[in-house]
């Protein structure tokens, strides 16, 4: 008999969010959190009395799960201890007014502390005794940079030695995983001594632990730590308290707390799904499984009339044929092989002028309704439907950058699918060998990069590859590929690491749609004949390629002649060329994969970006 799924309390530290304490509490409640860790500085800066904050939390349905942090308490000389206990009593008074009964003590970084676990245990015992008299419990957390206590194993040895029922440990995934700690030995701690759990992810970095922790923590699923393994180990040890997020991050600290709290909740739900066999339960409902994807159905570009013309001629030059007009909307379908591009000249948005911009992606999934329910369960904004009664009932959700994501039924016949909404147009070109859509590269606003990774990872069940960074003509670019287990849907997300000044173009790295071919040279020749503006790649690139990879001279010559870029990895090869950007925001690339090559030629991107710029300066397009 399987155990019924449990709904765990979900909590968030106020330090994760921007604004006043009131802003933070409102956002946490709206995103569905059950509780908060109140960070001391947020309370100190608030004009509301502790009683008022307590009432606000109660009104918002938020428990105050933790009051934190109490610093630099233990292993100090007697006179310092006296002052520390006095300070603690003041905080216990405050906690009584707040109605909070769990306080966090983090391991000391004080120069006054001494390296003496017996003394630390004795003094924490005294503190716990004082707290217990007030109905308060203490959890002790090893900061990764604690002066002497910097591992959870040592914090637990001290807590065990102190042996007080009101004293337990607080586990924080960052402090443990940043130091390469082993979470599996958490099970040696009795469950009743696991008082609290803080969860944070982070990118892999080689930097000072304190700086890494205070600036670069991420919500689970956005970084590179094995949070699912960590949470699994903590739950296996019998921890039954709230799952709480504690993320110090420079971007989230400045972001609108409403969407940031939603991002946080999504991360927790996705983490529970990865760590707990029964998955998360929200309001008694569980989450449908990630959709089974079967490749992109279409890419939709938004354009004004002028941009629509330019996109149309670019597509025609790439061998696409106009294959249909939407029955009720100003949308044209362009088709070649399995590649379908929609050009929508309906909504007039600034970004659609000039050369158009990515507006939507459609993916084939076996059960679009379940996929939409999952997206809703993960708090993705569901977009209003605008279909007429006789049109396909397509559900879509908004990605963090506003791109609409449509779920289309795999294998539906034309009448039953979105294609049935188009009046077919006959005729057209013979094509240029494009067989489908290989990937879509989506430039993300820097502030939404991590959120976007998590969005696609959780909503679509895509797996992120490790991030790569490269130096491009207008600054460092961070790029991360997310793809489904079958490799049918690939999205490359990238972003400028820093944005400063006004020298760089407004859109330094436009989005692009990568079209697949089985013969990149044949397609390159065909599209040149059709008049496609293939971007010229300089000799320096090919000289370097030869130096690095010792290519077959015949292949090297063909690459050079056709301005085709090249990459290879242990599994295969990648050959690709680009055409000019018809405007500033979106362009097309044609790619050929040989063998099991996994990437998207990211190391060639700076060369391609420089080539695009040269062309723009020379021709104005
Ligand atoms: O960086 C800090 O000071 C700090 C404070 C409290 C915590 O729980 C923590 O993990 C870090
Ligand atoms: Mg912590």
């Amino acid at each position: 008999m399987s155990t019924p799924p449990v709904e765990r309390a979900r909590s968030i530290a106020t330090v994760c969010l921007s604004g006043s304490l009131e802003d933070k509490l409102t956002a946490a409640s709206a995103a569905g959190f059950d509780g908060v860790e109140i960070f001391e500085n947020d309370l100190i800066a608030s004009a509301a009395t502790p009683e008022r904050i307590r009432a606000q939390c109660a009104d918002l349905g938020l428990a105050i799960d933790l009051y934190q942090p109490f610093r630099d308490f233990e292993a100090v000389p007697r006179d310092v201890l006296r002052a520390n206990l006095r300070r603690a009593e003041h905080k216990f008074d405050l906690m009584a007014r707040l109605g909070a009964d769990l306080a966090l003590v983090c391991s000391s970084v004080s120069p006054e502390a001494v390296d003496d676990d017996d003394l630390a245990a004795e003094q924490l015992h005294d503190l716990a005794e004082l707290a217990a008299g007030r109905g308060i419990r203490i959890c002790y957390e090893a900061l990764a940079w604690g002066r002497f206590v910097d591992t959870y194993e040592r914090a637990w040895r001290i807590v065990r030695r102190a042996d007080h029922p009101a004293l337990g440990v607080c586990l924080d995934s960052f402090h443990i995983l940043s130091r390469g700690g082993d979470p599996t030995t958490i099970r040696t701690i009795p469950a009743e001594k696991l008082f609290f759990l803080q969860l944070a992810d982070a990118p892999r970095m080689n930097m000072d632990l304190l700086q890494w922790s205070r600036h670069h923590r991420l919500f689970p699923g956005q970084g590179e730590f094995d949070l699912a393994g960590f949470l699994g180990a903590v739950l296996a040890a019998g921890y039954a308290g709230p799952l709480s997020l504690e993320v110090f991050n420079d971007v989230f600290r400045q972001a609108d707390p409403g969407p940031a709290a939603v991002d946080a909740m999504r991360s927790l739900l996705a983490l529970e799904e990865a760590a707990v066999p029964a998955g998360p339960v929200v309001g008694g409902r569980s989450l449908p499984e990630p959709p089974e994807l079967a490749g992109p159905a279409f890419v939709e570009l938004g354009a004004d009339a002028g941009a629509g013309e330019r996109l149309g001629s670019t597509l025609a030059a790439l061998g696409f044929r106009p294959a249909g007009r939407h029955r009720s909307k100003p949308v044209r379908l362009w088709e070649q092989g399995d590649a379908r591009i929609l050009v929508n000249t309906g909504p007039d948005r600034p970004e659609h002028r000039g050369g158009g911009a990515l507006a939507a992606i459609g993916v084939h999934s076996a059960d679009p309704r379940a996929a939409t329910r999952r997206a809703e369960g993960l708090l993705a904004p569901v977009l209003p439907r605008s279909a007429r009664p006789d049109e396909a009932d397509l559900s879509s959700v908004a990605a963090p950058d506003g791109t609409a994501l449509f779920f289309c039924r795999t294998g539906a016949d034309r009448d039953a699918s979105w294609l049935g909404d188009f009046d077919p147009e006959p005729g057209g070109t013979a094509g240029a060998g494009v067989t489908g859509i290989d990937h879509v590269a989506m430039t993300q606003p820097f502030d939404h990069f991590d959120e976007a990774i998590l969005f696609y990872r959780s909503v679509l069940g895509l797996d992120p590859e490790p991030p790569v960074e490269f130096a491009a003509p207008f600054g460092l670019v961070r790029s991360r590929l997310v793809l489904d287990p079958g490799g049918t849907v690939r999205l490359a997300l990238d972003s400028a690491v820093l944005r400063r000044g006004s020298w760089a173009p407004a859109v330094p790295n436009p989005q692009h749609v990568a079209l697949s071919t089985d013969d990149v040279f044949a397609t390159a020749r065909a599209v040149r004949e059709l008049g496609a503006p293939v971007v010229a790649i300089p000799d320096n690139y090919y000289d370097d390629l030869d130096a690095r990879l010792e290519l077959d001279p015949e292949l090297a010559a063909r690459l050079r002649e056709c301005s085709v870029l090249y990459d290879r990895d242990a599994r295969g090869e990648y050959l690709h060329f680009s055409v000019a950007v018809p405007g500033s925001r979106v362009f097309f690339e044609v790619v050929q994969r040989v063998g099991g090559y996994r990437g998207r030629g990211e190391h060639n991107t700076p060369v391609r970006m420089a080539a695009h710029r040269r062309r723009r300066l020379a021709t104005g397009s």
Side-chain angles (χ1 to χ4, degrees):
M1 208 180 79
S2 64
T3 45
V6 276
E7 184 155 0
R8 282 164 227 278
R10 303 181 182 97
S11 185
I12 184 166
T14 56
V15 76
C16 301
L17 301 170
S18 186
S20 67
L21 181 57
E22 291 71 17
D23 294 331
K24 295 170 188 227
L25 297 176
T26 306
S29 166
F33 283 96
D34 308 295
V36 286
E37 298 177 36
I38 292 195
F39 208 72
E40 178 155 275
N41 290 358
D42 286 323
L43 178 125
I44 294 171
S46 170
T49 61
E51 289 79 4
R52 174 77 206 103
I53 293 166
R54 175 184 195 156
Q56 192 190 1
C57 287
D59 287 350
L60 291 168
L62 293 171
I64 301 181
D65 289 320
L66 186 74
Y67 184 73
Q68 70 127 323
F70 193 71
R71 299 183 191 275
D72 294 337
F73 173 77
E74 75 286 12
V76 289
R78 289 277 145 214
D79 57 324
V80 181
L81 178 69
R82 225 173 5 256
N84 287 352
L85 285 169
R86 179 185 170 277
R87 185 158 57 92
E89 273 201 273
H90 275 266
K91 297 305 169 189
F92 295 159
D93 290 344
L94 168 66
M95 286 175 66
R97 296 173 67 192
L98 274 178
D101 63 5
L102 183 62
L104 174 85
V105 171
C106 46
S107 62
S108 182
V109 298
S110 167
E112 290 175 314
V114 293
D115 188 4
D116 183 343
D117 286 1
D118 285 331
L119 187 64
E122 184 190 317
Q123 296 182 346
L124 282 165
H125 180 102
D126 292 352
L127 181 70
E129 185 63 24
L130 190 67
R134 316 282 304 262
I136 287 173
R137 297 185 311 149
I138 305 288
C139 56
Y140 184 50
E141 174 189 35
L143 296 179
W145 57 90
R147 177 124 187 260
F148 300 111
V149 179
D150 53 11
T151 64
Y152 78 86
E153 290 92 339
R154 189 160 176 189
W156 162 234
R157 277 201 299 277
I158 292 171
V159 165
R160 194 177 46 194
R161 207 164 295 178
D163 191 22
H164 195 291
L167 182 69
V169 293
C170 167
L171 299 172
D172 179 324
S173 62
F174 180 87
H175 296 304
I176 297 170
L177 300 178
S178 63
R179 301 175 52 106
D182 175 10
T184 59
T185 50
I186 290 169
R187 64 171 187 272
T188 58
I189 307 176
E192 70 273 12
K193 284 293 185 185
L194 297 174
F195 279 13
F196 205 70
L197 173 65
Q198 295 174 322
L199 296 161
D201 201 345
R204 287 251 156 252
M205 298 178 115
N206 212 344
M207 74 187 295
D208 173 70
L209 287 164
L210 183 146
Q211 297 297 330
W212 187 10
S213 174
R214 294 251 174 100
H215 299 277
H216 301 285
R217 286 192 186 204
L218 291 169
F219 292 122
Q222 297 178 339
E224 295 174 88
F225 288 171
D226 177 13
L227 262 290
F230 179 85
L231 178 57
V234 177
L235 295 177
Y239 175 74
L243 308 182
S244 190
L245 296 166
E246 190 198 32
V247 170
F248 305 79
N249 178 291
D250 295 344
V251 172
F252 304 151
R253 270 183 203 274
Q254 291 188 40
D256 179 340
V262 167
D263 187 26
M265 176 55 85
R266 183 177 301 138
S267 82
L268 207 43
L269 298 174
L271 173 60
E272 283 179 63
E273 180 178 51
V276 184
V281 182
V282 185
R285 295 178 61 177
S286 49
L287 205 58
E289 307 242 303
E292 213 174 289
L293 301 179
F298 63 82
V299 167
E300 179 179 320
L301 305 172
D304 65 7
E309 295 264 307
R310 297 176 81 179
L311 281 171
S313 32
T314 303
L315 286 165
L318 284 167
F320 279 75
R321 68 180 194 90
R325 287 183 191 275
H326 196 276
R327 294 212 300 269
S328 67
K329 297 177 195 149
V331 183
R332 193 97 187 258
L333 164 66
W334 292 80
E335 205 170 68
Q336 184 175 189
D338 286 332
R340 296 195 173 82
I341 310 273
L342 307 182
V343 177
N344 185 344
T345 45
D348 184 23
R349 303 221 182 91
E351 67 268 26
H352 294 170
R353 301 189 190 128
L358 189 68
I361 297 178
V363 290
H364 285 296
S365 67
D367 187 348
R369 277 183 198 284
T372 310
R373 268 191 289 119
R374 174 179 175 82
E376 269 179 293
L378 288 164
L379 309 176
V382 175
L383 296 169
R385 301 218 175 103
S386 58
R388 296 191 317 197
D390 59 334
E391 291 175 353
D393 182 17
L394 277 181
S395 357
S396 68
V397 295
D401 68 350
T403 303
L405 192 61
F406 284 87
F407 298 107
C408 309
R409 190 180 308 279
T410 307
D413 63 28
R414 187 176 177 106
D415 288 343
S417 93
W418 62 277
L419 278 171
D421 296 343
F422 287 81
D423 290 327
E425 294 179 62
T429 68
V434 166
T435 55
I437 294 171
D438 180 273
H439 69 271
V440 184
M442 305 163 79
T443 306
Q444 299 294 306
F446 178 74
D447 290 358
H448 293 295
F449 186 75
D450 300 308
E451 184 186 349
I453 299 285
L454 175 67
F455 178 88
Y456 292 110
R457 183 175 192 169
S458 58
V459 171
L460 288 185
L462 305 184
D463 296 320
E465 298 269 296
V468 290
E469 277 185 7
F470 48 83
F474 299 106
L476 280 189
V477 173
R478 181 173 302 156
S479 178
R480 213 164 170 192
L481 187 71
V482 289
L483 72 175
D484 67 314
T488 68
V489 171
R490 291 189 195 90
L491 304 175
L493 304 173
D494 52 58
S495 184
V497 173
L498 268 181
R499 194 78 179 88
R500 296 282 186 276
S502 54
W503 149 254
V507 187
N509 190 22
Q511 304 158 329
H512 68 262
V513 182
L515 306 163
S516 43
T517 174
D518 294 331
D519 183 344
V520 76
F521 297 113
T523 301
R525 261 192 306 276
V527 304
R528 266 181 217 273
E529 270 165 34
L530 291 167
V534 174
V535 171
I537 301 300
D539 282 336
N540 291 348
Y541 169 80
Y542 294 101
D543 293 345
D544 174 65
L545 204 57
D546 190 30
R548 285 191 291 125
L549 302 183
E550 227 186 316
L551 293 180
D552 165 47
E554 201 184 319
L555 173 63
R558 293 178 86 191
L559 293 169
R560 199 184 288 254
E561 179 202 326
C562 298
S563 275
V564 171
L565 299 160
Y566 180 88
D567 191 25
R568 70 181 177 214
D569 64 14
R571 300 179 235 206
E573 296 171 290
Y574 190 71
L575 301 91
H576 55 140
F577 69 87
S578 298
V579 295
V581 187
S584 65
R585 289 181 185 272
V586 66
F587 69 93
F588 300 95
E589 186 186 30
V590 176
V591 316
Q592 181 184 357
R593 285 176 193 274
V594 182
Y597 178 89
R598 263 180 93 81
R600 66 282 185 204
E602 53 272 31
H603 298 293
N604 294 326
T605 305
V607 174
R608 193 263 300 151
M609 287 170 75
H612 266 140
R613 174 168 157 82
R614 237 178 345 264
R615 184 179 171 98
R616 182 189 304 279
L617 294 176
T619 67
S621 77

